């Protein structure tokens, strides 16, 4: 599960987690949420010392406006994974992502879930981040990794 396009460092990181073992990915791209998330993201930006980012949180596309950027980010990420020698398919998730994640894990018989995300200190503190919530839902190990910056 990702929330932004994979950087070359991210691709290298996830494709080498298991050494030379051939792996495949089912990538679920979570577009930015609704306005209720803006405050949490701004608090996270302030906590990381990114004051300019905190001030711009309201300018980012939300909801339906975030679908096209999410689709482009997903396609870019899938192409990068394939170019690195992995099989990769994916989709943008519009509805509750944990239900979709659970069904994908079951259908693909996944060995593990990787949640690649930026730090979300407020959500993590209360165990409301995607990785913490997925651990109680999917039935396989969930690895939380922090995405590299652009």
């Amino acid at each position: 599960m990702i929330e932004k396009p994979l950087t070359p460092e991210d691709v290298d990181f996830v494709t080498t987690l298991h050494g030379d073992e051939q792996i495949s990915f089912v990538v679920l791209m979570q577009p930015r949420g609704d306005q209720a998330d803006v405050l949490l993201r701004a608090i996270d930006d302030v906590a990381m010392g990114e004051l300019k980012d905190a001030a711009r949180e309201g300018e980012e596309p939300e909801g339906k406006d975030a679908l096209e950027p999410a689709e482009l980010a997903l396609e870019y990420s899938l192409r990068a994974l394939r170019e690195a020698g992995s099989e990769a398919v994916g989709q943008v998730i519009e509805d509750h992502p944990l239900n979709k994640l659970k069904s994908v894990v079951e259908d693909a018989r996944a060995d593990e879930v990787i949640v690649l995300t930026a730090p979300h200190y407020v959500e993590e503190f209360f165990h409301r981040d995607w990785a913490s919530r997925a651990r109680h839902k999917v039935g396989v190990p969930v690895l939380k990794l922090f995405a590299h910056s652009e």
Side-chain angles (χ1 to χ4, degrees), residues 39-103:
L39 178 60
L40 291 177
R41 289 193 306 265
I43 291 170
D44 286 337
D45 290 337
V46 169
M48 293 186 303
E50 304 290 340
L51 299 178
K52 289 181 182 177
D53 290 341
R56 287 192 291 256
E57 278 297 339
E59 299 170 9
E60 293 292 325
E62 301 283 340
K64 296 288 182 195
D65 293 336
L67 287 179
E68 185 176 347
E71 290 168 356
L72 292 172
L74 175 64
E75 192 54 43
Y76 174 85
S77 299
L78 293 175
R79 185 176 37 237
L81 288 167
R82 291 175 190 138
E83 288 172 359
S86 295
E87 294 179 26
V89 296
Q91 62 184 294
V92 173
I93 318 166
E94 292 185 55
D95 295 324
H96 199 279
L98 293 179
N99 293 334
K100 185 62 178 178
L101 180 61
K102 181 178 170 79
S103 69

